[in-house]
């Protein structure tokens, strides 16, 4: 059973940086991709970054150039480094994984992500 546990969320000022982590268990990395999603207040959940099993990455336009997704398969951890944070980045951030061998990250998120963690809150103040 895939389990994803996020951590590292915090309150930061605009322009600051933060790295959130996701501890992964029960995942064989045979799925097409993993990624990060977020849900901003009053908004639907949206994908922000993805990495496929070959290590290719993709990002949503709103975070491209500011966020970096990476993974340490040996430690079973997925990371999201967030730089130049803005108040509009305030959201609950969720780790996600696909266990299906076919998929896509071309739109900047992991598709189809079927497993999600419980989330970690990131708050950016002006």
């Amino acid at each position: 059973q895939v389990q994803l546990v996020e951590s590292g969320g915090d309150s930061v000022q605009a322009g600051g940086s933060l790295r959130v982590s996701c501890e992964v268990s029960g995942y064989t990395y045979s799925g097409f991709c993993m990624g990060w999603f977020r849900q901003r207040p009053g908004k639907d959940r949206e994908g922000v970054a993805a990495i496929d099993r070959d290590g290719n990455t993709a990002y949503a336009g709103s975070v491209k150039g500011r966020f970096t997704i990476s993974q340490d398969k040996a430690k079973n951890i997925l990371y999201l480094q967030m730089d130049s944070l803005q108040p509009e980045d305030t959201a609950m951030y969720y780790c996600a994984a696909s266990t299906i061998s076919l998929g896509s990250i071309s739109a900047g998120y992991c598709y189809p992500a079927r497993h999600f963690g419980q989330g970690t809150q990131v708050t950016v103040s002006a």
Side-chain angles (χ1 to χ4, degrees), residues 38-46 87-88 90-92 94 121:
R38 70 183 180 187
Q39 187 162 19
R40 294 184 281 182
K43 304 286 188 180
D44 291 335
R45 187 166 59 189
E46 60 181 347
E88 53 265 34
T90 293
M92 185 72 79
Y94 299 91
Q121 178 67 38

Side-chain angles (χ1 to χ4, degrees), residues 1-15:
Q1 181 177 357
V2 177
Q3 291 191 327
L4 307 169
V5 180
E6 303 91 337
S7 62
D10 205 346
S11 296
V12 298
Q13 291 192 327

Side-chain angles (χ1 to χ4, degrees), residues 18-22 36-37 48-49 59 67-70 78-82 93:
L18 194 64
R19 188 177 76 167
V20 292
S21 303
C22 173
W36 289 92
F37 289 71
V48 295
Y59 301 90
F67 289 14
T68 303
I69 187 172
S70 63
L78 183 72
Y79 300 103
L80 183 67
Q81 176 68 41
M82 302 180 286
Y93 283 75

Side-chain angles (χ1 to χ4, degrees), residues 69-88:
I69 187 172
S70 63
Q71 62 183 14
D72 186 332
K73 290 184 180 180
K75 295 182 179 179
N76 288 319
I77 300 178
L78 183 72
Y79 300 103
L80 183 67
Q81 176 68 41
M82 302 180 286
D83 298 318
S84 301
L85 283 161
Q86 299 301 314
E88 53 265 34

